[in-house]
Amino acid sequence: MNYWLMKSEPDEFSIDDLARRPNQTEGWHGIRNYQARNFMRDAMQIGDRVLFYHSSCKVPAVVGIAEIVSDIYPDASAWDPESPYFDPKSPQDSPRWLQRDIRFIKRFTRPVTLSAIKAHPGLADMLLVQKGSRLSIQPVSEAHWQLIHHMAGESL
DNA sequence: GCCAACGTTGGC
DNA sequence: GCCAACGTTGGC
């Protein structure tokens, strides 16, 4: 099993939105970065755990946990001219953009803020806090996973 | 709203 | 294949 961090802007789609979805599950569409797509396609597996991260908001933070619950499949929003994620260069017969379904597991009672992550020496090599790292889907080591849980006051 | 750090695009 | 111009991300 692998661990991941996935970013979402809470104004667009928050962890509470995820918790309110049917089956508490959402297709993670709209990824338009090749490196993030490749992680999803090649390295992710059903059952992998996800740190759900709120970005571009007042208090950026890991706010909870989700789980990967599907294989990879085409991101249909790339074919929808009405969608903000429309990509005219993604052929119908060879989809450029892909997605998986993720399911809500829990919301942290105590989110782990970006500033707390930056302040913790044990998390200094997290991809999230590397200079210029903008990846919206990134791998997380088991040590970092456990540390984040500890900081959130959650058991594993 | 600013802007640094990236990623992508397209002319050559 | 180079690289300038442009677009995006995301913290602050």
Side-chain angles (χ1 to χ4, degrees):
Chain A
M1 174 168 63
N2 303 303
Y3 301 104
W4 304 94
L5 181 144
M6 292 167 75
K7 298 179 183 175
S8 188
E9 301 186 17
D11 290 346
E12 299 294 323
F13 190 81
S14 72
I15 193 165
D16 296 321
D17 294 324
L18 180 62
R20 282 192 290 262
R21 280 288 193 264
N23 294 325
Q24 301 188 308
T25 299
E26 171 77 354
W28 208 248
H29 63 282
I31 297 299
R32 295 293 179 269
N33 171 282
Y34 290 104
Q35 209 179 342
R37 181 204 65 184
N38 293 347
F39 276 136
M40 255 198 314
R41 184 189 58 195
D42 304 330
M44 243 179 210
Q45 297 173 291
I46 291 177
D48 284 359
R49 295 291 161 117
V50 175
L51 297 174
F52 197 105
Y53 179 82
H54 282 173
S55 68
S56 291
C57 56
K58 226 169 204 165
V59 185
V62 175
V63 292
I65 301 299
E67 177 186 14
I68 303 299
V69 293
S70 84
D71 280 320
I72 197 83
Y73 62 98
D75 176 348
S77 68
W79 295 322
D80 176 7
E82 303 301 311
S83 167
Y85 303 114
F86 178 57
D87 179 0
K89 291 181 209 156
S90 180
Q92 282 278 351
D93 54 352
S94 150
R96 175 183 295 197
W97 303 115
L98 307 168
Q99 69 186 75
R100 287 176 184 263
D101 294 344
I102 81 166
R103 181 163 59 207
F104 174 84
I105 292 182
K106 68 178 162 190
R107 198 190 209 294
F108 288 158
T109 48
R110 199 148 59 89
V112 181
T113 64
L114 178 61
S115 67
I117 290 171
K118 283 181 170 172
H120 198 299
L123 297 174
D125 52 348
M126 258 191 102
L127 237 52
L128 182 69
V129 293
Q130 299 309 305
K131 192 170 81 167
S133 167
R134 304 178 306 171
L135 260 186
S136 60
I137 297 178
Q138 45 185 266
V140 171
S141 74
E142 183 164 11
H144 292 161
W145 176 269
Q146 291 175 0
L147 243 181
I148 296 278
H149 271 73
H150 186 254
M151 293 165 77
E154 302 275 347
S155 55
L156 283 164

